[in-house]
Amino acid sequence: MKKATFANSFVSSTSKASAIFCVNYQRGKSGTPQKRLEHLWLNTAAQKRVAAAGAESTIYAVASDEDGHNEIREYFKADCLRHWAEKEMVRYAAGREVAGITLNDFNSLHCAPDSLLGLCGFSVRMDWKFTRGNQNKSQQLMKEEVLAKCKKNGLPVPTQMVETHRGLQAVWYLKERKPANFLPVWNVLQNELCEIFAPLGAASARLGVCETVDLPIGGLKPLHSQKQPTSWNTMYNALRRAYYMRAYSAIAIKHYPNPAHRPTWYQTQQLVSDGTLLVSADEQPKPFVQNAPSYYWLRSSGWDED
């Protein structure tokens, strides 16, 4: 097989056309109803993406080329994407089966953790079509299962869910961009999200800060969308609560195999101290994030802001 090559370009303004997105009106105004729907969806997705982005941010776009083997990579300023989306000029990604944009912001021409500028949200890619017990389920049913799991764990509803070839991707965009020194906390939250949705085929290997968000093109469609983004504090508190609920539940299952005999403390996240349950120190749930919620680790020399 031919080794993949990459075509890179930097889109600095609306005067230079994108190699991924069709930005010429004459090229984009005609097309099938599916393409016109993609036009609407792409503008909506782009506006949500740049809502928390700073004007100085660099956003990366990745797409397959026409033969589906090689990749095209672009990087451009957030203001450029914002301008296109507000003017409804982000057209469909012509000839592409896959296209995505980075979830977080960067401050240089390299999508790497050391150039991270700000954290804009969280995402979980669920490959449920390849998960045992889910292969025969419909996309609509799986969407409802995701929303039900969010409700059960006290999580905010995803800002958007987009269909993928292997399942779906849920995205929680933030109301405000968090600085790069929150990366240790972001990593913990991403891991916890992956744990929660593991039964639905959450791809645990895709937890990097450079993760891309799939765009609805090539016949794929958005499954869920809401205007209101997610608060960082709401997300943090919900995932912290879910972490302790799972930890205490595991302790209860070990010491009380019969569900009818389990006490209520594992649901209220508090251990009793009356001697009814003897749990060794190494079994105690570890802190969700060290020194939470004081964020003392953010003041360490390794995470000082520039």
Side-chain angles (χ1 to χ4, degrees):
M1 181 180 292
K2 181 181 178 182
K3 185 178 180 180
T5 58
F6 304 99
N8 296 273
S9 63
F10 176 48
V11 183
S12 58
S13 68
T14 56
S15 61
K16 180 177 180 180
S18 164
I20 297 176
F21 302 111
C22 295
V23 296
N24 181 281
Y25 182 76
Q26 294 300 324
R27 290 178 62 189
K29 72 176 183 179
S30 61
T32 64
Q34 173 65 32
K35 289 301 180 184
R36 288 194 288 272
L37 280 175
E38 287 184 6
H39 167 214
L40 174 64
W41 295 336
L42 282 172
N43 281 285
T44 302
Q47 291 184 55
K48 289 181 178 180
R49 168 61 182 88
V50 298
E56 76 285 9
S57 304
T58 300
I59 296 176
Y60 292 81
V62 180
S64 62
D65 62 5
E66 287 83 353
D67 62 14
H69 297 295
N70 302 322
E71 282 188 344
I72 299 173
R73 295 182 180 180
E74 287 185 347
Y75 35 94
F76 43 87
K77 292 298 182 182
D79 274 353
C80 181
L81 180 60
R82 183 180 291 109
H83 174 81
W84 289 346
E86 290 175 352
K87 298 293 184 180
E88 296 189 353
M89 289 183 65
V90 179
R91 301 291 174 179
Y92 57 87
R96 319 298 181 200
E97 290 189 1
V98 179
I101 52 178
T102 51
L103 176 64
N104 300 303
D105 291 344
F106 299 87
N107 60 12
S108 72
L109 303 184
H110 300 284
C111 177
D114 58 358
S115 65
L116 177 67
L117 183 63
L119 300 160
C120 296
F122 306 90
S123 73
V124 178
R125 195 182 302 266
M126 305 173 212
D127 300 338
W128 63 265
K129 294 180 181 179
F130 297 86
T131 305
R132 181 179 298 177
N134 293 323
Q135 294 93 333
N136 297 325
K137 294 182 180 179
S138 66
Q139 189 72 269
Q140 177 66 23
L141 179 59
M142 295 306 298
K143 182 196 80 171
E144 293 173 356
E145 287 194 19
V146 172
L147 296 176
K149 191 170 284 290
C150 288
K151 183 177 180 181
K152 178 181 178 181
N153 289 276
L155 287 174
V157 176
T159 314
Q160 70 182 40
M161 283 192 284
V162 177
E163 181 182 12
T164 66
H165 291 289
R166 299 177 63 90
L168 62 89
Q169 184 179 29
V171 182
W172 292 262
Y173 283 115
L174 292 173
K175 291 181 180 179
E176 69 288 337
R177 187 181 69 180
K178 282 294 181 181
N181 62 357
F182 274 71
L183 183 57
V185 192
W186 186 90
N187 285 328
V188 173
L189 299 182
Q190 273 287 172
N191 277 283
E192 185 59 24
L193 272 174
C194 192
E195 287 287 341
I196 291 174
F197 293 101
L200 303 183
S204 58
R206 291 186 168 180
L207 294 176
V209 73
C210 296
E211 173 71 352
T212 59
V213 175
D214 284 357
L215 296 175
I217 66 167
L220 303 178
K221 59 182 181 297
L223 305 173
H224 170 83
S225 180
Q226 66 173 19
K227 293 182 179 179
Q228 187 66 22
T230 302
S231 163
W232 169 276
N233 290 337
T234 299
M235 197 72 173
Y236 173 83
N237 291 332
L239 289 171
R240 186 168 182 261
R241 177 177 179 270
Y243 167 82
Y244 281 110
M245 283 186 66
R246 189 173 68 252
Y248 283 109
S249 179
I251 295 175
I253 292 172
K254 177 179 179 179
H255 293 274
Y256 296 92
N258 188 342
H261 297 159
R262 290 174 195 165
T264 59
W265 53 258
Y266 79 96
Q267 294 178 335
T268 59
Q269 308 175 41
Q270 293 182 2
L271 281 171
V272 293
S273 58
D274 58 4
T276 59
L277 177 63
L278 299 177
V279 180
S280 60
D282 59 350
E283 266 194 310
Q284 296 291 333
K286 301 298 187 296
F288 178 63
V289 178
Q290 190 67 35
N291 297 325
S294 301
Y295 298 135
Y296 288 125
W297 66 92
L298 297 178
R299 302 192 183 102
S300 65
S301 60
W303 299 103
D304 286 342
E305 289 187 84
D306 294 331

